[in-house]
Amino acid sequence: PEALARAVALALTADDAIDERELGLLDQLDACARMGLPGWVFEQIAKGLHGQLQGRFIDKPWLSLADTELLDELLDPVRSRDKRLLVCRLVAGVITADGEVCSAERLVYEHMLMRWKFTRAEIAAAIRAMPVPTAAMPLQG
């Protein structure tokens, strides 16, 4: 679960901020339960990673070799294809939650897809197939 949390937190902190809208979306998607850990543990992981990255991907047109090595180090512990797909689905939501995808988020997400050999179409299909938690469903009246 911690490896999944680090991979999701990577996208959450890529733009050097932890946005409340992104956290809210993760809460709506019941992300912590899906990853198998309490919300407070995810928050600690995200804050720790935020401190470690310190704006590392901001204003970069591409990733350096050192950047890709760091990303791979954070992504490789997620070994299961199903878990990787879960992370990609959650990350796709995180990076779009505030209404814009910044270049740092795009770099991290694109590297994640490439590293794990997923296409955007596969992630889009997985998102459409992902059940929406009951709490996130609108009331019908």
Side-chain angles (χ1 to χ4, degrees):
E2 288 83 8
L4 301 178
R6 278 189 293 280
V8 172
L10 178 62
L12 182 70
T13 62
D15 62 354
D16 201 30
I18 298 177
D19 190 297
E20 289 300 319
R21 293 169 290 188
E22 295 168 342
L23 290 173
L25 178 81
L26 289 173
D27 191 44
Q28 282 182 346
L29 295 174
D30 203 18
C32 290
R34 289 174 191 246
M35 289 185 284
L37 74 169
W40 66 269
V41 173
F42 177 77
E43 264 188 58
Q44 284 184 330
I45 289 170
K47 286 178 182 176
L49 193 58
H50 181 254
Q52 179 186 351
L53 295 178
Q54 297 180 4
R56 183 173 184 150
F57 304 111
I58 299 295
D59 297 327
K60 287 192 169 187
W62 59 79
L63 297 172
S64 69
L65 181 57
D67 293 334
T68 60
E69 287 174 352
L70 172 65
L71 291 175
D72 293 347
E73 181 181 308
L74 291 166
L75 297 174
D76 287 351
V78 181
R79 302 208 187 273
S80 155
R81 180 171 171 78
D82 289 342
K83 297 296 185 187
R84 288 175 173 181
L85 192 57
L86 170 64
V87 168
C88 289
R89 293 184 324 211
L90 294 173
V91 166
V94 163
I95 66 174
T96 59
D98 62 1
E100 90 177 83
V101 180
C102 76
S103 62
E105 292 168 328
R106 185 176 310 283
L107 284 172
V108 168
Y109 182 63
E110 293 293 331
H111 182 79
M112 183 180 288
L113 295 181
M114 184 180 67
R115 182 72 177 173
W116 288 343
K117 298 176 177 50
F118 287 120
T119 65
R120 287 189 202 120
E122 287 174 300
I123 303 308
I127 289 169
R128 286 190 297 274
M130 183 167 57
V132 177
T134 307
M137 296 174 102
L139 297 175
Q140 297 186 5

